[in-house]
């Protein structure tokens, strides 16, 4: 699905942020918010595994950088994406962000500390 990215595409990520998944919330084919366990107020409340950027966008924004240092914790993705796109321009993938095709995994026990006690999302996603 990344191959069809025109500018910046997004999708859900499983096992991230202390939840089973986090995802962009999509209405009528547009991202309108974020289902996340941490700071949903971020401009792009998304994990690095949850987006792709076309090479044309990178080349047309030569000063855009992904800061290893200088961003607040958890803000690196937002700080980068703000330089190249807007939320309105995001391209939802994975069946309008209702399917997990990518997992954020490590060689450690999964942390689900931020998983809500009751299902709060408007869709039921299998992880």
């Amino acid at each position: 699905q990344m191959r069809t990215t025109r500018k910046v595409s997004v999708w859900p990520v499983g096992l991230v942020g202390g939840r089973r998944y986090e995802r962009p919330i999509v209405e009528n084919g547009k991202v309108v918010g974020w289902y996340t366990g941490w700071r949903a107020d971020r401009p792009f409340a998304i994990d690095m595994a949850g987006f792709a950027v076309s090479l044309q966008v990178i080349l047309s924004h030569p000063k855009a950088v992904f800061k290893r240092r200088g961003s607040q914790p958890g803000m690196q993705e937002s700080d980068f994406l703000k330089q190249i796109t807007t939320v309105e321009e995001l391209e939802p993938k994975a069946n309008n962000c209702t399917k997990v095709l990518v997992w954020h995994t490590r060689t450690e026990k999964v942390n689900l500390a931020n998983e809500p006690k009751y299902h709060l999302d408007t869709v039921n996603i299998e992880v």
Side-chain angles (χ1 to χ4, degrees), residues 48-93:
M48 185 170 333
F51 67 91
V53 181
S54 76
L55 180 57
Q56 290 76 21
V57 170
I58 297 295
L59 294 174
S60 66
H61 295 85
K63 293 184 179 183
V65 294
F66 192 92
K67 298 176 188 175
R68 189 160 175 238
R69 293 188 175 105
S71 288
Q72 294 177 14
M75 292 297 289
Q76 289 177 314
E77 295 87 349
S78 287
D79 289 347
F80 174 67
L81 291 170
K82 284 189 303 186
Q83 298 172 72
I84 60 172
T85 193
T86 64
V87 172
E88 295 77 24
E89 293 176 314
L90 295 174
E91 305 160 39
K93 301 293 183 185

Side-chain angles (χ1 to χ4, degrees), residues 80-127:
F80 174 67
L81 291 170
K82 284 189 303 186
Q83 298 172 72
I84 60 172
T85 193
T86 64
V87 172
E88 295 77 24
E89 293 176 314
L90 295 174
E91 305 160 39
K93 301 293 183 185
N95 196 29
N96 273 327
C97 296
T98 61
K99 292 187 176 187
V100 172
L101 304 176
V102 175
W103 288 261
H104 185 277
T105 59
R106 298 180 183 172
T107 55
E108 62 187 36
K109 187 176 178 181
V110 173
N111 172 9
L112 296 178
N114 292 328
E115 183 67 21
K117 196 173 209 175
Y118 304 102
H119 188 74
L120 300 176
D121 199 358
T122 57
V123 297
N124 188 17
I125 296 181
E126 181 181 345
V127 179

Side-chain angles (χ1 to χ4, degrees), residues 29-61:
K30 296 288 183 184
V31 175
V32 297
W34 309 97
Y35 180 77
T36 180
W38 186 75
R39 289 205 51 196
D41 63 326
R42 292 174 285 160
F44 296 88
I46 192 167
D47 182 78
M48 185 170 333
F51 67 91
V53 181
S54 76
L55 180 57
Q56 290 76 21
V57 170
I58 297 295
L59 294 174
S60 66
H61 295 85

